[in-house]
Amino acid sequence: MNRPVDAFKQRLAQAGVVLNEPSSTAPLESPWFVRALQAFSGWLAALFLLGFIAMGVIFVAESAAASLVVGGILIGGAFALLRTTQSDVLEHMALVFSLAGQLLVAWAVVEMLSGVTYLWWALLGLQCVLALIMPSQVHRSFSAFLASLALYMALASNELEQVAIGLVLLALTLLWLNEYRWPERIKMVQAWCAGLLVGLLVFQGVVLSGESSWVSHHSPVVWLGPWAASWLSALLEALALLYVIHTVLHQHSQPAMGERLAIYGAIAAVAVVSVYVPGLGAGITVLLLGFAISHRKLMASGILLLLLAVSSYYYWLDVTLLIKALLLFVMGSSLLALRWVLLRWLRSLKPAERSDQ
């Protein structure tokens, strides 16, 4: 195997091509099953250790101040451990300690505020801070996922749970399409996006199960009605879809006015249908986002979101089968029209590219 490589290098050297070979070899990564076993070991060890500690300090749960202090110590210890270790076992142990600390902090917030009205907003702020400062990709993904859940619960207390889908989708789109703007923070942005994507899948699963409103009606203040919340969520999903298409089109020459109006009309049709089919616009946006950045996992997640949205819509008993069929027909026609416009625009670009060459 080395002889053909050496011969090829020799021919390149004779042709005047200089190869800059790295002075050190790249570190070998452990296989995924080894890392999974190490992660399981870390969680098991951390849970046993936390159980042993909890038996001696059970009085902490009786005091809000003590719970807050001990929770802060656990989170700080997890942060210090993550900064000094490169082991998967210790990383997941630190994650378990951090989650236990967050649970104690949440318990302290409930005791001090005498309810859960502002609990989810406080947890949302805490998870955002942890997603920013924790030096661990796994912890950042967990924090982003928990932040999306906290946002969902906070909005659901005011009957705005559908708006959480649009907000998380818009944040996911903005982050993933701008990950290379901050080269030193690419892994951090990817970790956030992974957590937000899991949050989107969980939201759609809740909608499919028919339990999307089980956390609502906790607050006497209702900001918007269910119909207005659906339209606001559809508007946010349309903005995310528009941003994806605008980013793709910006990489080439701008389409003509008629083609641009057709694209905007298709996006508007998707937004209208998404009011009646929650999550459909999110699935289309994630699927197109995956195509735009050549990300297979994103494309698979978009397909899964579409399947969940259509499945939940199929079992929606408030609408007749005729209305369901008409809405799906409008959605399919809009997507086919959007595809036809984009293909026509791409074909018009080819003669211009050949003339430039």
Side-chain angles (χ1 to χ4, degrees):
M1 182 67 183
N2 292 330
R3 291 181 180 179
V5 174
D6 294 338
F8 181 66
K9 290 181 179 179
Q10 185 177 3
R11 292 179 60 186
L12 289 176
Q14 292 175 357
V17 179
V18 180
L19 296 179
N20 295 324
E21 297 184 1
S23 58
S24 60
T25 59
L28 297 177
E29 295 185 357
S30 302
W32 66 269
F33 50 87
V34 175
R35 301 193 65 180
L37 182 60
Q38 291 176 343
F40 174 76
S41 302
W43 277 79
L44 189 63
L47 290 175
F48 274 107
L49 183 59
L50 285 175
F52 176 76
I53 295 174
M55 293 178 62
V57 293
I58 191 64
F59 66 92
V60 171
E62 300 176 358
S63 172
S67 298
L68 187 62
V69 171
V70 175
I73 292 174
L74 287 174
I75 295 175
F79 175 79
L81 184 59
L82 289 173
R83 285 183 62 89
T84 57
T85 183
Q86 298 294 331
S87 171
D88 290 332
V89 176
L90 296 179
E91 182 180 7
H92 284 271
M93 285 185 65
L95 176 61
V96 176
F97 283 127
S98 177
L99 293 176
Q102 295 170 39
L103 183 61
L104 288 176
V105 170
W107 176 257
V109 172
V110 171
E111 289 293 322
M112 289 187 292
L113 298 180
S114 301
V116 296
T117 304
Y118 303 102
L119 168 66
W120 305 115
W121 294 109
L123 290 181
L124 174 61
L126 174 63
Q127 296 302 330
C128 290
V129 172
L130 293 178
L132 286 171
I133 66 173
M134 280 297 183
S136 168
Q137 298 298 101
V138 178
H139 199 297
R140 290 191 184 111
S141 296
F142 259 86
S143 296
F145 169 65
L146 294 178
S148 64
L149 290 185
L151 177 64
Y152 181 89
M153 300 293 285
L155 292 176
S157 62
N158 298 99
E159 299 185 6
L160 295 175
E161 60 271 10
Q162 293 186 12
V163 182
I165 298 178
L167 288 174
V168 172
L169 176 66
L170 188 59
L172 176 69
T173 305
L174 291 173
L175 286 174
W176 226 312
L177 288 178
N178 295 279
E179 60 176 331
Y180 293 107
R181 288 177 179 258
W182 309 284
E184 69 281 359
R185 299 180 181 271
I186 289 179
K187 292 185 177 180
M188 185 183 298
V189 173
Q190 291 175 349
W192 296 340
C193 292
L196 294 177
L197 181 60
V198 175
L200 268 181
L201 292 172
V202 171
F203 295 164
Q204 198 60 45
V206 172
V207 173
L208 177 61
S209 64
E211 302 294 334
S212 58
S213 60
W214 70 278
V215 292
S216 60
H217 306 291
H218 286 315
S219 175
V221 179
V222 178
W223 296 341
L224 296 173
W227 189 255
S230 300
W231 277 101
L232 181 57
S233 177
L235 177 61
L236 293 172
E237 294 175 10
L239 287 176
L241 179 58
L242 179 62
Y243 183 64
V244 173
I245 295 178
H246 174 74
T247 302
V248 174
L249 296 180
H250 185 69
Q251 298 174 357
H252 307 278
S253 61
Q254 294 296 325
M257 180 59 67
E259 296 172 348
R260 192 179 305 175
L261 291 176
I263 292 174
Y264 293 157
I267 294 175
V270 171
V272 172
V273 177
S274 297
V275 175
Y276 303 94
V277 188
L280 191 63
I284 295 173
T285 304
V286 173
L287 181 59
L288 292 181
L289 178 62
F291 276 110
I293 63 176
S294 300
H295 199 293
R296 293 184 178 180
K297 293 181 180 179
L298 262 181
M299 290 187 282
S301 300
I303 294 173
L304 181 58
L305 284 171
L306 285 174
L307 290 176
L308 291 174
V310 173
S311 299
S312 61
Y313 178 68
Y314 178 79
Y315 291 103
W316 191 20
L317 300 179
D318 296 338
V319 179
T320 62
L321 291 176
L322 179 60
I323 300 299
K324 292 179 181 179
L326 290 175
L327 286 175
L328 292 177
F329 175 77
V330 171
M331 173 61 69
S333 301
S334 301
L335 293 177
L336 289 175
L338 181 60
R339 177 183 180 273
W340 179 78
V341 171
L342 291 176
L343 286 177
R344 182 178 177 182
W345 171 68
L346 289 174
R347 289 170 184 170
S348 65
L349 288 179
K350 292 182 179 180
E353 292 176 355
R354 292 176 182 175
S355 62
D356 294 339
Q357 293 178 357

